[in-house]
Amino acid sequence: MKTAKQGVYFWQGSEACAEAAILAGCRFFAGYPITPASEIAEHLAKRLPQVDGIAIQMEDEIASIGAVIGASWTGAKAMTATSGPGFSLMQESIGYAFMTETPLVIVDVQRAGPSTGQATKCGQGDVMQSRWGTHGDYSAIVLSPNSVQEMFDLTVKAFNLAEEYRTPVILLSDEVTAHMREQVAVPSIEQIEIVNRKRPKPSDKAFFGLTEVPPMPAVGEGFNVAVTGSTHDEYGIRSTADPLVHKRLVERLNNKIQNHAEEIAHVESYNTENCKIGIVAYGCTSRAIYEAVEYAETKGIKTGYVRLKTIWPFPEKPIKKLAESAEKILVPEMNLRQIFHEVKKVAEGTAKIIPINKIGGGELITPEELLDIIIKEAE
Amino acid sequence: MNETFSVKKYLRNLKLPFCPGCGAFTVMNAFLKAVHELGYEDLSSFVFCSGIGCSAWIPSPYFIADSIHTLHGRSIPVATGVKLMRPSLNVVVFGGDGDIVGIGLSHFIHAARRNLDILVIMVNNMVYGMTGGQVAPTTPFKAKTTTTPYGNFEQPLDAANLAVVAGANYVARWTTAHQNELKEAIKKALCLNGFRFIEAISQCPTAFGRRVGFKDAGEMVKWFKEKAIPIEQAKKLGEEDLTQKIILGEFIQRKRQTLTETVYSAIKEASNVEEN
Amino acid sequence: MKKIEIRISGLGGQGVVLTGQILGKAAVYEGKNVVQTQSYGAEARGTTAKSEVIISENKIGFPIVRKCDILIAMSQEALEKNLKDLKENGILLIDNSIIKIVPKTNAKIYAVPATEIAEKNFGQKLYANMVILGALTQITNLVKEKFMEKAIKDSLPGKSTSINLQAYKKGIESVPTFNPR
């Protein structure tokens, strides 16, 4: 067996992520064991060698992402997977990957933090960390799957975005989505859109500028590429004091993502133009909205939702649209208010933004809990 | 080989960043001379990884080569990814003592344990030079630094011996006072496989020499010569006789299976296993 | 069939999670939408474990079972812990070679001595979960036999396949006691 064949599978979220990575072209994985992300490492340890890829367990998460960065510079698509504590350790290197324009994918299977917290229990506390976790002026691309099918689809998408924008991309999953099993429809490889990185022409020399997303050479190809996390000019030459070089580089790195925020930002919307109560949700928590909305409608309450598939860049437009129709917007999250503040920034004044927060023990916000609040707020 | 050696052949036309008298010049020279004498016309078969610190600047971006200047302490993990995916390339890590055996120590030990096929050249100047002369894990006992103003109250780390214990295939230590031996060790290491570690004891006249009482770089190099003792001779002496000495020479040369060998044979096995 | 929610409960080591996975896989082969989850972490071997399967013709929203239509209990403790979550008039399937007391309930109770059957026919307790799956097929026909068999084959490849299939068959052939008192 090489890559997964077209068909319907019954996979765990982690398995769908691993198989999607292989189909997307990933041939290098480095990671460190951590609950609840270890299944991804285990699956890739088994599968990558079967497709001539390499999976290695490193001494810690810092080494893991370091090895992934090295592999990416050989021209390979590469990834790592971790959870909160490991994600914290990777933050410096995420900034490095951003600064050096190294495409890679990081899967963060969220658990209940801070610190060791409840290691086996689900949480959504890493949302802001995925955006602002590294130091300096940084722009993140973060995707949020809410089903096993999306663990598959959005892993492919994560690799595509990483290659398209030459930047690290985070798949922000959670314990529930990564551990549950569901049916997954795998298309034929011809039907899967795969984006490969833009390679330089033999005459190219500027691998860090001149165009929004510069071409990326691999080491060993004779390009003599100088890669550095220090501020550098278009040719990779360190420039540690020139304010203009810094401004030019860091603005371009941020703009190449922010200028395409609307293209990157994907949502699933329902009844956003004709609702009294709106909901903004993402990840495992969003699994409660479907039944809650269905019940609410049987009670005559016009309800709509925007479910975030992209968290960063934040999908402002669909939320603005929702706020134009909804009087109130509920924001259920398994944390103590994170996306709530973003919704508020975008929609406050147009709609009333109401946080719904539940943490601890991995308990999801249930459709019944959500429905109770919808009914109360609709009165 | 017969043509006269010039470092210029391998260097970009950029001004080097090192202070006058810095040992990094010597190590850079020794490396490039070794490469030249081995017959490499250019550095196209090499990839250089380095971290943060003055010595990390030896290859990056000055060598006309692929170079990855990584985060502080993380050159070896990045080199791991490069070497595993491109085993045909010569992967060489340059770094200081703080970078390699301070913040990056665990990577160093694990790379030696795995016998990862890279050459690590550690320029040990016994201090954090770039940040202004703070104590390092290699600073001699009692030495005054900016963060040990009353003298270092810790014992220094013996990186070469650590590499031996951890499993490196080749380990040598020389100083900037032993340029020819250093060059020869680099030549030898470049022809071997597995994890190879060369510790080059070096002078930082700016951030260390001055504070511990050396007038200039030359005095420091002289001091290295005086303190040097060949490993063969050191083996006959007791611990007490060696406290003030710098033990030099080849610490080990062996042929353990290397990581690229074992990883690629595992891949071969995996592709033969039927999917169940 | 709109949506059926099943909880399988027992002790860690009884194959509760695998049982759920096989049932889920079989339902996927039948073309259904399926979500399967399991208790994870704190409940290791020897303590109670559970696996949940939701099977539906339509897209499944919430993935966690709150009230189940079918409860399978393979230990006394698991039964007592989970019975409250069985819907009024739901189906309770127990291994009565292990469970001796069933608390008062309005559920339709079916009892199969799965562990006893497994030990007697195959010399090992660990096939009890396959017997239970067979009994479930016989009682509910939740997922067609051929898909169940395919799921067992695919989930338990190698030498153990045929014994597991035989144990499943034994479960189908078994005569569950209805509403034992």
Side-chain angles (χ1 to χ4, degrees):
Chain A
M1 181 170 161
K2 293 284 175 185
T3 52
K5 289 194 191 79
Q6 182 175 9
V8 177
Y9 295 84
F10 183 54
W11 276 339
Q12 194 180 45
S14 303
E15 198 175 354
C17 170
E19 290 295 339
I22 289 170
L23 278 164
C26 175
R27 288 298 177 270
F28 185 85
F29 174 89
Y32 184 80
I34 189 166
T35 303
S38 301
E39 287 86 352
I40 296 173
E42 288 167 351
H43 199 74
L44 285 169
K46 182 182 163 198
R47 290 283 287 118
L48 273 176
Q50 296 172 346
V51 292
D52 294 329
I54 290 176
I56 186 167
Q57 185 168 314
M58 297 297 286
E59 52 272 22
D60 55 33
E61 286 88 348
I62 297 172
S64 301
I65 191 167
V68 167
I69 289 167
S72 184
W73 275 101
T74 68
K77 292 185 184 178
M79 74 180 281
T80 184
T82 188
S83 185
F87 192 49
S88 292
L89 286 175
M90 289 182 185
Q91 290 302 327
E92 189 191 12
S93 297
I94 292 172
Y96 179 86
F98 177 74
M99 191 69 154
T100 54
E101 301 178 75
T102 307
L104 52 92
V105 172
I106 302 145
V107 184
D108 175 17
V109 182
Q110 294 173 96
R111 64 190 221 189
S115 190
T116 308
Q118 292 185 320
T120 64
K121 303 300 180 190
C122 192
Q124 293 185 306
D126 304 353
V127 173
M128 298 312 284
Q129 187 189 23
S130 72
R131 173 65 185 85
W132 299 107
T134 196
H135 60 276
D137 289 300
Y138 164 73
S139 286
I141 299 179
V142 180
L143 308 180
S144 168
N146 87 339
S147 64
V148 179
Q149 182 70 52
E150 279 192 357
M151 284 294 283
F152 183 89
D153 296 341
L154 296 189
T155 297
V156 173
K157 192 164 185 69
F159 276 98
N160 287 349
L161 289 168
E163 297 296 335
E164 188 174 350
Y165 293 100
R166 243 188 95 179
T167 196
V169 173
I170 292 155
L171 185 78
L172 192 67
S173 182
D174 52 65
E175 187 274 330
V176 166
T177 313
H179 277 160
M180 67 185 179
R181 283 179 171 75
E182 291 186 297
Q183 77 282 354
V184 181
V186 175
S188 72
I189 192 140
E190 296 78 24
Q191 290 169 302
I192 301 174
E193 193 204 344
I194 306 284
V195 177
N196 290 315
R197 73 187 60 165
K198 196 165 82 190
R199 297 297 207 147
K201 296 191 292 285
S203 58
D204 281 345
K205 287 190 168 60
F207 309 125
F208 302 95
L210 298 186
T211 54
E212 194 176 42
V213 181
M216 181 175 174
V219 294
E221 289 181 337
F223 284 100
N224 297 325
V225 58
V227 183
T228 178
S230 296
T231 294
H232 46 272
D233 67 14
E234 288 74 3
Y235 304 94
I237 304 301
R238 206 160 41 242
S239 176
T240 53
D242 187 335
L244 284 177
V245 174
H246 187 80
K247 183 174 145 65
R248 200 161 68 222
L249 173 66
V250 177
E251 283 186 352
R252 179 178 61 78
L253 294 180
N254 282 279
N255 287 343
K256 76 176 176 183
I257 293 166
Q258 298 305 336
N259 288 347
H260 300 273
E262 278 183 27
E263 292 157 50
I264 302 168
H266 284 269
V267 300
E268 175 196 353
S269 294
Y270 173 75
N271 202 24
T272 51
E273 280 166 34
N274 183 26
C275 62
K276 189 175 175 193
I277 302 288
I279 305 169
V280 174
Y282 55 93
C284 60
T285 304
S286 66
R287 293 294 291 255
I289 63 180
Y290 308 107
E291 282 160 57
V293 167
E294 206 182 305
Y295 299 148
E297 284 179 337
T298 63
K299 295 192 182 296
I301 305 167
K302 286 180 175 167
T303 315
Y305 61 76
V306 171
R307 201 259 300 176
L308 311 176
K309 291 161 89 169
T310 305
I311 296 195
W312 306 110
F314 191 66
E316 293 183 6
K317 225 177 173 180
I319 297 202
K320 274 191 183 130
K321 200 171 132 197
L322 178 70
E324 279 166 20
S325 142
E327 288 166 25
K328 295 175 179 176
I329 295 177
L330 311 181
V331 187
E333 300 179 83
M334 284 175 74
N335 57 43
L336 299 176
R337 302 184 187 182
Q338 297 202 14
I339 282 293
F340 164 74
H341 296 291
E342 297 304 310
V343 178
K344 225 173 152 181
K345 257 191 248 171
V346 173
E348 193 167 41
T350 326
K352 188 180 177 207
I353 319 299
I354 299 159
I356 301 169
N357 308 91
K358 188 171 179 180
I359 57 166
E363 286 176 11
L364 301 187
I365 296 170
T366 66
E368 292 76 13
E369 286 170 339
L370 201 49
L371 179 66
D372 285 348
I373 297 166
I374 293 171
I375 293 169
K376 199 183 107 213
E377 295 298 337
E379 274 167 13
Chain B
M1 182 83 178
N2 289 330
E3 73 182 283
T4 46
F5 168 68
S6 160
V7 292
K8 279 188 184 159
K9 170 163 81 162
Y10 301 107
L11 292 180
R12 284 194 167 94
N13 191 18
L14 297 166
K15 191 183 171 294
L16 291 174
F18 311 115
C19 304
C22 177
F25 288 112
T26 312
V27 179
M28 180 189 255
N29 207 61
F31 178 80
L32 292 176
K33 202 164 185 187
V35 163
H36 167 78
E37 288 180 11
L38 288 173
Y40 291 102
E41 279 305 305
D42 57 36
L43 299 172
S44 60
S45 65
F46 288 84
V47 177
F48 298 94
C49 295
S50 60
I52 298 297
C54 301
S55 323
W57 282 348
I58 291 174
S60 165
Y62 305 101
F63 286 2
I64 302 172
D66 294 321
S67 63
I68 308 180
H69 180 230
T70 74
L71 292 171
H72 192 27
R74 313 307 167 201
S75 52
I76 291 176
V78 173
T80 308
V82 172
K83 184 66 194 185
L84 286 179
M85 292 308 280
R86 286 289 173 274
S88 61
L89 296 172
N90 285 315
V91 180
V92 179
V93 166
F94 278 93
D97 41 310
D99 198 41
I100 302 286
V101 297
I103 190 168
L105 179 64
S106 104
H107 311 312
F108 172 75
I109 296 169
H110 285 286
R113 172 182 66 80
R114 294 184 179 111
N115 210 13
L116 171 70
D117 306 66
I118 61 172
L119 166 60
V120 176
I121 299 176
M122 184 178 94
V123 183
N124 180 1
N125 61 10
M126 297 167 276
V127 77
Y128 283 90
M130 187 184 269
T131 46
Q134 295 81 15
V135 70
T138 42
T139 303
F141 187 55
K142 300 242 173 178
K144 282 186 181 167
T145 71
T146 60
T147 49
T148 53
Y150 308 108
N152 182 17
F153 39 71
E154 297 178 18
Q155 297 295 336
L157 180 79
D158 183 341
N161 264 318
L162 181 60
V164 172
V165 172
N169 256 5
Y170 178 78
V171 176
R173 181 193 282 139
W174 295 102
T175 82
T176 48
H178 303 79
Q179 294 184 33
N180 197 51
E181 291 89 338
L182 179 61
K183 180 202 72 187
E184 288 302 317
I186 293 170
K187 277 166 73 178
K188 189 165 186 182
L190 284 174
C191 299
L192 297 170
N193 296 320
F195 191 79
R196 292 142 287 155
F197 177 59
I198 295 174
E199 181 176 352
I201 307 279
S202 174
Q203 72 279 15
C204 175
T206 311
F208 188 64
R210 271 189 309 139
R211 282 200 190 84
V212 292
F214 293 105
K215 213 169 63 217
D216 56 24
E219 266 199 13
M220 289 190 84
V221 174
K222 214 171 102 193
W223 175 59
F224 295 157
K225 250 188 197 142
E226 285 163 13
K227 282 186 63 175
I229 176 168
I231 188 164
E232 298 75 20
Q233 208 176 316
K235 277 175 184 164
K236 294 173 198 152
L237 298 175
E239 207 175 311
E240 239 160 63
D241 302 317
L242 294 170
T243 48
Q244 293 302 310
K245 299 288 182 195
I246 303 172
I247 303 168
L248 300 180
E250 268 184 19
F251 284 60
I252 199 145
Q253 188 191 328
R254 59 188 160 195
K255 285 184 177 165
R256 283 177 70 221
Q257 249 194 329
T258 75
L259 186 66
T260 43
E261 288 166 9
T262 53
V263 162
Y264 279 88
S265 77
I267 291 177
K268 220 171 180 181
E269 277 170 38
S271 52
N272 295 334
V273 173
E274 282 292 305
E275 173 67 11
N276 51 30
Chain C
M1 176 171 129
K2 202 176 162 241
K3 185 165 92 174
I4 303 281
E5 306 189 47
I6 306 111
R7 181 177 292 169
I8 303 158
S9 64
L11 297 175
Q14 279 184 321
V16 161
V17 170
L18 180 67
T19 310
Q21 286 172 10
I22 289 171
L23 180 60
K25 192 177 266 188
V28 168
Y29 290 157
E30 209 177 69
K32 300 285 177 12
N33 291 293
V34 179
V35 182
Q36 185 266 330
T37 57
Q38 62 218 42
S39 64
Y40 183 82
E43 288 171 347
R45 261 157 222 281
T47 56
T48 59
K50 69 175 182 195
S51 174
E52 296 176 345
V53 186
I54 304 175
I55 303 172
S56 174
E57 301 279 3
N58 304 315
K59 194 177 167 190
I60 298 166
F62 200 62
I64 308 294
V65 171
R66 287 138 294 157
K67 288 282 180 187
C68 55
D69 301 285
I70 300 170
L71 174 66
I72 296 172
M74 295 177 71
S75 88
Q76 189 70 40
E77 196 190 342
L79 171 64
E80 283 161 20
K81 204 170 159 184
N82 291 292
L83 191 58
K84 64 177 192 318
D85 296 333
L86 182 60
K87 284 180 190 166
E88 190 85 357
N89 301 318
I91 292 172
L92 172 65
L93 172 58
I94 60 165
D95 180 343
N96 65 344
S97 50
I98 292 174
I99 292 168
K100 297 299 171 196
I101 308 150
V102 180
K104 200 170 178 305
T105 168
N106 290 330
K108 290 176 230 137
I109 308 168
Y110 295 88
V112 172
T115 301
E116 217 172 272
I117 293 172
E119 267 190 312
K120 204 161 79 188
N121 292 280
F122 311 106
Q124 281 194 65
K125 285 187 212 171
L126 61 90
Y127 298 106
N129 58 345
M130 292 300 123
V131 179
I132 281 281
L133 274 180
L136 181 72
T137 305
Q138 193 212 74
I139 298 159
T140 63
N141 201 24
L142 190 58
V143 180
K144 286 193 188 79
E145 198 178 319
K146 64 171 179 184
F147 296 117
M148 290 295 291
E149 284 181 354
K150 181 170 160 49
I152 291 168
K153 277 184 213 158
D154 291 352
S155 304
L156 297 158
K159 283 181 194 160
S160 67
T161 313
S162 83
I163 305 182
N164 279 296
L165 280 172
Q166 285 173 45
Y168 174 68
K169 284 260 188 242
K170 278 277 174 225
I172 294 178
E173 291 157 10
S174 69
V175 188
T177 327
F178 181 62
N179 274 350
R181 289 294 168 223

